[in-house]
Amino acid sequence: PTEKYRVRKITLLYYLEDHTLQLNEHKIENSGIPQGTFVKRHLCPKGDGGNVTFNDLVIGGNVNLYGRTFRIVSCDAATRAWYEAKDIPQPENIGFPDDAYTSLRETVKVRDTGADSEVFRGKKSNPLKRFMEASLGNASNVQRCGVPDTLKKFLENDRKVLRFYGVWDDRDRVYGDRLFFRVHYFLSDDTMEVLEEHKVNSGRDRFPALLKRQRVSSDISLYGDDRARGVEDDDGADNYYNFHDLCVGSTINILGRPILLYNADAFTKDWYLQVHGVDMREATVDVEEKAPEAPKIKPPPHNGFGSEEDSLSSFMFLTPKVPRRDFVKLVENDKKMLRFTAKLHNAAPLDAARQFIMTYYLADDTVAVFEKALRNSGIIGGKWLSRARLKNLDTGRYFDKGDFFVGAVVTLKGHRFDLESADEFTLRLMEGASAVWPLSNITFVMETLKRKIQEHSISARRMFRTIDKDFSGFITLEEFSAALVKWGM
């Protein structure tokens, strides 16, 4: 045979900006070899663990990349000038070695066609051996190559597909995410395809497939090899994934992506159980993650403008809404109010004589204060506090009707008031709602009075004789009030 060896011409590009390397093979028409980009641009490792640098590129020297040895025979003028500027002169060019077979082919082509073999005519000629030999009549060329014929396997397993569900967790990287896939394994020809499961509103483009149907190499270093695309002869089943490598709970490497197989469909589980005796029905991996609890944003404090409900509405809704009012409460308590007389708590001598009328409106829980006018007091009477809904500074809540009763101390606008008395309507209302005002419950009052008498260990007869200061046989209101104060009531 005239073809004993080939001389393959390569252009080696070394990028100084990031020390990456790229190899491009010269295209020779009808050479029978896939040509073009031989090694894509990247950092190329050496055998000693480091990367190839410009110091390793010397004319006449060898560069070993991924198991293949390349001899450097020449460089261009710019490269030679750069090395001379670095005081690393390059030897003289040695030229390409002779290739007897290529020279013979060029001679025959020029003799037969008169065409220049160095001109590329836009047609890429790859050695698709199987297709070409099948088109020439050798439909079962795998038998010639020593590989068993797969016709029987195809007829027995056609349309039988193993389906696995996988997840790829890439959140350790910047902008990484957790993606889900469907892995299909075709039993008829041992090919695989990986399809992405798209989620609604995920923001990702709906690519149909991560990996189209093909034989998938279990060795990542073989990716990009022509044999993985069926261009060359098969390299053996040991270098490709088969159904023995796929099971629920295992991890497979697809294009450098570790995909965990967490589940399979019913047919796949039954097939493994019936054919190989492998039970994967209970081997499902739980990959569901609880959604993180949404943070609760606390509303900002009230700024004092308008009502608190109105300001809260602008926080809760994009378009502020008018706060709803309790119309049932408005109708039932219309024109009902609690009215008390009040004085300033621990007032200065100048303010001791000041008298106030405090009104609580049951319809909307608002409070108003009116000051009585006293002659020659030097203080103008009238409206002291306009009707408004106020907060109880002692409890942090809005004033409720239960906060107002005779004897209570109420703080309004920084002033403390003692409620001394109430009108007849207010007293009757409080006596009728003893659950809200327990001090208006006559049973509670009697039980409290009885307990205080028992604490002093005196009889009722002796107690009343002690209270009756004028020995009239009757206890006046002033005498009874004095006794209550004495007992701390």
Side-chain angles (χ1 to χ4, degrees), residues 17 50 139 148 158 168 204 217 228 248 277 288 304 347 350 378 399 434:
E17 60 180 357
D158 185 29
W168 173 41
R204 293 183 171 275
S217 173
V248 176
E288 294 294 333
L350 182 63
F399 276 110
S434 58

Side-chain angles (χ1 to χ4, degrees), residues 282-449:
E282 303 297 333
T284 303
V285 180
D286 186 11
V287 295
E288 294 294 333
E289 292 184 346
K290 294 183 179 180
E293 184 177 357
K296 295 182 180 180
I297 304 177
K298 295 183 179 180
H302 185 224
N303 56 10
F305 294 95
S307 64
E308 188 169 350
E309 291 80 1
D310 196 11
S311 299
L312 187 62
S313 176
S314 63
F315 169 78
M316 298 295 296
F317 306 101
L318 182 62
T319 303
K321 300 180 180 179
V322 179
R324 287 189 174 184
R325 304 182 66 182
D326 191 349
F327 289 99
V328 176
K329 183 177 181 180
L330 288 173
V331 173
E332 292 180 351
N333 298 287
D334 186 29
K335 298 182 180 180
K336 291 183 180 181
M337 60 194 74
L338 306 179
R339 188 177 286 109
F340 301 88
T341 60
K343 285 189 176 183
L344 291 173
H345 180 72
N346 295 331
L350 182 63
D351 298 328
R354 299 177 67 178
Q355 297 180 1
F356 300 88
I357 298 176
M358 188 176 297
T359 306
Y360 178 84
Y361 297 88
L362 297 175
D364 54 359
D365 300 326
T366 55
V367 182
V369 180
F370 180 85
E371 184 175 1
K372 291 183 179 181
L374 297 178
R375 295 183 63 183
N376 300 325
S377 63
I379 299 175
I380 301 175
K383 185 185 294 183
W384 188 87
L385 176 65
S386 299
R387 182 176 176 178
R389 191 170 179 227
L390 303 175
K391 274 192 175 183
N392 188 346
L393 299 180
D394 298 331
T395 61
R397 296 179 290 103
Y398 283 103
F399 276 110
D400 190 41
K401 55 186 177 181
D403 298 327
F404 296 87
F405 54 88
V406 177
V409 179
V410 180
T411 304
L412 299 176
K413 298 295 183 179
H415 298 270
R416 296 175 66 84
F417 294 89
D418 293 329
L419 305 184
E420 294 185 334
S421 63
D423 61 3
E424 189 65 24
F425 174 79
T426 303
L427 294 176
R428 289 183 179 180
L429 185 63
M430 290 191 295
E431 290 174 358
S434 58
V436 180
W437 294 280
L439 296 180
S440 299
N441 189 349
I442 188 61
T443 305
F444 175 78
V445 173
M446 294 302 295
E447 291 294 334
T448 304
L449 182 59

Side-chain angles (χ1 to χ4, degrees), residues 11 21 71 75 89 123 244 267 271 331 385 411 449 483 486:
T11 298
L21 203 66
R71 176 175 289 274
C75 66
K123 183 177 180 181
H244 295 289
F267 170 79
W271 186 84
V331 173
L385 176 65
T411 304
L449 182 59
K486 180 181 179 181

Side-chain angles (χ1 to χ4, degrees), residues 60-79:
N62 296 333
V63 178
N64 194 329
L65 298 177
Y66 302 108
R68 303 195 183 193
T69 302
F70 301 87
R71 176 175 289 274
I72 301 176
V73 297
S74 63
C75 66
D76 59 5
T79 303

